[in-house]
Amino acid sequence: MHPNPDTLGAARTLIDETDREIIRLLARRFDAVRSVAQAKATDGDRPILDNDRERGVLAAWLRDAEALGLSAPFTRRVLKEILSHSRRLQEPLVEGSPASARRITVGYQGVPGSHSSLAAAHLLATRSVRGADLRGYALFQDVVEALQAGTLDYAFLPIENSIGGAIADVNRLLIDNTLHIVDEEVWEVDQVLAGLPGAALDQVRTVRSHPAALVQCEGYLRGLEEVVRQPWFDTAGAAESLLEDRDPAIAAICSEEAARARGLDVLATGIADQERNETRFLLIAREPEGPDPRVPAKTSLVFRLNHHEGTLARALGILSAAGANLTRIESRPLPATPWEYLFFVDVEGNQASPHLARALKELRSACNHLRVLGSYPHRARGAEPAMEQVPAVLEPPAPLSCAVEPEPAPPRPGRVRVNVGPIQVGEGAFVLMAGPCAVESRDQILEGARMVRAAGAAILRGGAFKPRTSPYAFQGLGLEGVALLKEAGRETGMPTVTEILTQEDIPDVAPHVDMLQVGARNMHNFALLKELGRLDKPILLKRGMSATLKEFLLAAEYILAGGNQRVILCERGIRTFETATRATLDLSAVPVLKRMTHLPVIVDPSHAAGERELVVPLALAAAAAGADGLIVEAHPWPETALCDKAQALTREDMAALAAGLRPILASQGRAW
Ligand SMILES: O=C(O)C(=O)C[C@]1(C(=O)O)C=C[C@@H](O)C=C1
């Protein structure tokens, strides 16, 4: 810790030192990111964006930030910038070999120092090119003509601004020319007021700039006395013109870079009306360039519809049904046919992915005319799930960390393995969790633990807080039960799992067990789930009795969204019209969940069956269906059990279960 500086100078020295350290640490982090990219380039299946990892990183940042008294929104914002840069840094490394790189020429509207030129340089620094020559043109149209003529490799044009909205001329150029969007850049536009050296703000009578910049700073301009707004072809061009006119009463709105490069004085900074002033630019080429499938992508479309009731709703319905999240929709009148419109739509996803390709095919048949303007890396990711709180609805393929497309499993970086103490759950291993429904006494839990251990159990279960249907039934030993479970686990070398009923119990229970269980009745207890999301402890989440798989995954999402990635899902039977068993064990949930999520899936046959004789066959069926493990209830003396005695497995049942499991797991090549 540094001593508290007590003078302004000392404080600033400390700030300077700290800033140097921040830069050094950032450089070190980005070096590590380059190594990650190299590893990903070797392992061709790993996408650049890893939501799980980002959530984990965010959780760690928030935890540390909270401990040091930093605000969570600020921390999120800083990390968002770092991660966004980190992803960009990886693109050229993961995408292509340097041998494929070449020198390119890119055209933009304006002169050096304009926001277009700065944004273009920023984007090009992340592409696999040997170098780029930037050429400024007076008009958007000139840039496009040079591209069409082959003078340029790419055009770099603004398409929308967060304050001023769509840039209609560029939309029109996109539809009038057969061009392809191959990349985008979102540029934070920082406007300053620049004047001749020595000019004073109160002398200024004319402010010139690009019309869009004048609009963005209108509130500021209104605060100046009697200034004339003078539209200019470009912001940096306006700055340049001050040197020609040499009139201190004229100022220009431009980037700070444009002002400084021309030796102008900066009279005022941060003058845009909104704190966030962003412009989205497009990199446009003559030929399409499909982005690497590992890069998060976006696809831009333009379509025309018949002028009938419901046609737009139907068209959007097709995209929505395919889970294609819309990031922009705009309409533009068709000049030749008044009151008919063209629709510009951007959707998340790559047109080369099967689900989007199918949706586009269907959309094409529902439209008069449809053109795909391009699929390109999605950089305008304002609402990244890892950084904002995760959306509450599961709209595949919304990049929820646990739920993915309902399509055949997309390439995933691999299934998640959850460590419970030294035991790994998921990724091919099979884990048997067993123990009594409730901890009743030291003798009972110790004997029960030895008994299940002997049958091959790796994790000891035991209820201390029991959610019972009747308030008069045995409610568990509470914290005394937790202590006994811990002792039994230690004695027999097994990590432990116990159910938690309320968030108030977490501080007392969590430190003493290796995994916390959320029972079926509590699957919808979102306050509890949120709290568990902040823990560094695995959570065994049981499916609610009447929960659909989608609802089940959304409950899991509550935990994941808080930063805790260690979730194991458990199917335990659902309510159906069938009364022959206590619940109907939904074994289809096992393969379906495995298709929908990367989380481990285990099965609890005891609660579904409700009677001992059915538990072993259901358990074997669950293993055959591919469950990553089982959780079963067993008791050394079932006839004396204080709860759920009818379903408690005996020593012999446990042995039969073990004997039945071995050949099934062996046939699947799974270790046990
Ligand atoms: O760990 C990775 O896989 C990385 O690519 C690094 C990193 C990061 O900067 O922390 C960046 C992008 C990913 O989405 C996740 C994390």
Side-chain angles (χ1 to χ4, degrees):
M1 250 317 165
H2 290 274
N4 256 353
D6 47 10
T7 64
L8 177 64
R12 286 195 171 150
T13 307
L14 184 52
I15 288 176
D16 293 343
E17 277 171 27
T18 312
D19 287 350
R20 270 198 296 277
E21 185 74 352
I22 292 173
I23 298 290
R24 205 180 57 72
L25 290 175
L26 282 173
R28 193 173 90 178
R29 192 182 195 283
F30 291 130
D31 273 348
V33 167
R34 282 187 199 94
S35 307
V36 167
Q38 254 133 34
K40 286 181 180 174
T42 323
D43 174 0
D45 272 349
R46 277 203 180 261
I48 289 176
L49 176 68
D50 184 337
N51 268 322
D52 293 344
R53 171 70 185 151
E54 290 198 6
R55 278 174 216 277
V57 172
L58 174 65
W61 270 60
L62 290 176
R63 217 174 22 243
D64 292 346
E66 194 182 358
L68 295 170
L70 293 179
S71 99
F74 165 77
T75 307
R76 252 195 208 104
R77 239 180 115 174
V78 174
L79 181 61
K80 183 179 165 186
E81 280 303 316
I82 292 178
L83 288 179
S84 140
H85 186 70
S86 163
R87 275 184 245 116
R88 278 154 174 258
L89 210 62
Q90 295 184 52
E91 276 169 27
L93 301 171
V94 172
E95 257 178 21
S97 70
S100 66
R102 61 198 175 96
R103 196 167 180 88
I104 54 165
T105 311
V106 181
Y108 65 94
Q109 187 267 332
V111 298
S114 65
H115 292 292
S116 290
S117 72
L118 299 174
H122 190 259
L123 174 64
L124 294 170
T126 68
R127 290 181 67 89
S128 311
V129 291
R130 283 240 166 80
D133 296 318
L134 289 175
R135 272 191 213 164
Y137 291 80
L139 303 173
F140 295 143
Q141 172 88 36
D142 299 341
V143 185
V144 168
E145 277 171 13
L147 175 65
Q148 294 287 38
T151 315
L152 298 174
D153 295 302
Y154 297 101
F156 185 77
L157 300 175
I159 187 75
E160 57 179 340
N161 172 265
S162 58
I163 302 177
I167 294 154
D169 288 351
V170 177
N171 270 332
R172 188 184 47 74
L173 286 167
L174 275 174
I175 49 175
D176 290 350
N177 295 274
T178 318
L179 295 172
H180 303 270
I181 306 173
V182 297
D183 213 334
E184 72 173 353
E185 171 70 38
V186 179
W187 184 250
E188 199 160 329
V189 180
D190 204 6
Q191 308 285 25
V192 304
L193 189 70
L196 282 174
L201 189 54
D202 55 11
Q203 282 182 294
V204 173
R205 292 290 168 268
T206 299
V207 173
R208 65 172 57 141
S209 192
H210 191 278
L214 291 170
V215 169
Q216 289 158 21
C217 304
E218 179 51 32
Y220 173 78
L221 294 177
R222 240 181 280 136
L224 297 182
E225 245 175 84
E226 296 170 26
V227 295
V228 175
R229 291 115 172 108
Q230 200 173 67
W232 215 254
F233 77 100
D234 175 48
T235 51
E240 203 148 85
S241 74
L242 300 191
L243 297 174
E244 287 147 27
D245 290 348
R246 304 224 64 85
D247 178 353
I250 307 177
I253 295 176
C254 59
S255 68
E256 186 161 349
E257 287 86 343
R260 302 241 181 258
R262 291 165 178 89
L264 298 172
D265 276 2
V266 173
L267 306 180
T269 56
I271 60 172
D273 295 348
Q274 307 285 330
E275 202 193 322
R276 279 184 70 181
N277 177 13
E278 291 176 1
T279 297
R280 197 162 71 85
F281 290 88
L282 300 177
L283 189 68
I284 299 164
R286 286 182 298 276
E287 299 298 331
E289 290 174 11
D292 185 299
R294 287 167 293 177
V295 174
K298 195 154 97 176
T299 297
S300 289
L301 319 167
V302 55
F303 56 79
R304 205 172 80 207
L305 298 166
N306 280 330
H307 201 164
H308 294 316
E309 189 193 321
T311 47
L312 177 60
R314 250 195 312 283
L316 297 183
I318 292 169
L319 294 172
S320 158
N325 187 31
L326 259 60
T327 58
R328 166 191 177 223
I329 175 160
E330 242 164 61
S331 63
R332 221 191 106 82
L334 271 165
T337 45
W339 313 121
E340 291 215 2
Y341 294 87
L342 274 180
F343 294 92
F344 289 85
V345 167
D346 290 355
V347 293
E348 282 178 349
N350 190 332
Q351 59 177 320
S353 78
H355 80 279
L356 195 54
R358 243 191 325 271
L360 293 180
K361 193 168 162 207
E362 200 182 330
L363 185 59
R364 189 161 268 127
S365 62
C367 293
N368 247 343
H369 169 78
L370 171 107
R371 211 174 100 208
V372 178
L373 298 172
S375 286
Y376 49 94
H378 185 357
R379 301 180 192 275
R381 298 173 61 80
E384 282 169 280
M387 304 311 300
E388 308 296 325
Q389 282 322 310
V390 175
V393 275
L394 182 148
E395 290 278 46
L400 292 178
S401 57
C402 75
V404 294
E405 293 89 328
E407 294 294 326
R412 301 282 301 172
R415 304 199 71 76
V416 161
R417 188 178 57 209
V418 174
N419 291 341
V420 183
I423 304 297
Q424 294 177 353
V425 185
E427 269 202 338
F430 183 86
V431 177
L432 179 59
M433 310 179 193
C437 170
V439 179
E440 298 164 5
S441 66
R442 168 177 279 111
D443 283 353
Q444 175 251 13
I445 187 67
L446 267 174
E447 190 51 30
R450 288 188 198 110
M451 170 186 136
V452 299
R453 183 88 175 110
I459 297 176
L460 177 65
R461 62 146 294 149
F465 296 88
K466 297 303 302 173
R468 307 301 302 278
T469 307
S470 160
Y472 306 113
F474 175 59
Q475 305 286 310
L477 294 182
L479 293 180
E480 189 195 335
V482 174
L484 292 175
L485 179 70
K486 182 178 179 179
E487 188 187 332
R490 227 182 2 226
E491 188 96 343
T492 50
M494 282 187 285
T496 53
V497 53
T498 198
E499 180 167 359
I500 189 100
L501 298 184
T502 71
Q503 55 267 48
E504 287 77 41
D505 292 334
I506 293 176
D508 294 326
V509 178
H512 303 291
V513 291
D514 298 285
M515 176 157 65
L516 289 169
Q517 175 185 318
V518 177
R521 292 171 181 80
N522 258 328
M523 190 207 87
H524 294 287
N525 183 345
F526 299 131
L528 174 63
L529 299 179
K530 274 189 193 166
E531 237 9 79
L532 295 173
R534 295 153 65 101
L535 290 189
D536 181 17
K537 175 115 343 202
I539 308 296
L540 175 59
L541 178 65
K542 290 199 167 184
R543 178 181 179 185
M545 288 174 242
S546 307
T548 63
L549 293 182
K550 191 162 148 179
E551 287 161 346
F552 188 20
L553 286 181
L554 284 172
E557 197 65 39
Y558 267 93
I559 304 171
L560 300 172
N564 185 352
Q565 306 301 306
R566 296 159 75 190
V567 178
I568 299 173
L569 301 171
C570 179
E571 160 61 35
R572 47 78 68 204
I574 50 173
R575 279 214 165 125
T576 65
F577 54 83
E578 183 54 74
T579 53
T581 48
R582 191 204 248 184
T584 300
L585 186 63
D586 178 12
L587 278 183
S588 57
V590 176
V592 174
L593 282 174
K594 286 190 160 244
R595 200 167 63 182
M596 294 170 84
T597 153
H598 57 276
L599 298 173
V601 182
I602 69 162
V603 169
D604 167 1
S606 304
H607 285 88
E611 55 175 308
R612 179 172 306 122
E613 287 69 28
L614 301 179
V615 174
V616 173
L618 290 181
L620 298 182
D628 294 302
L630 292 167
I631 183 161
V632 294
E633 289 189 350
H635 200 291
W637 315 291
E639 60 294 348
T640 67
L642 293 180
C643 74
D644 285 351
K645 68 166 80 161
Q647 71 201 36
L649 296 184
T650 61
R651 201 175 296 272
E652 294 70 37
D653 296 328
M654 285 300 294
L657 173 60
L661 281 175
R662 264 181 220 108
I664 294 173
L665 296 171
S667 75
Q668 297 167 331
R670 290 207 279 170
W672 185 45

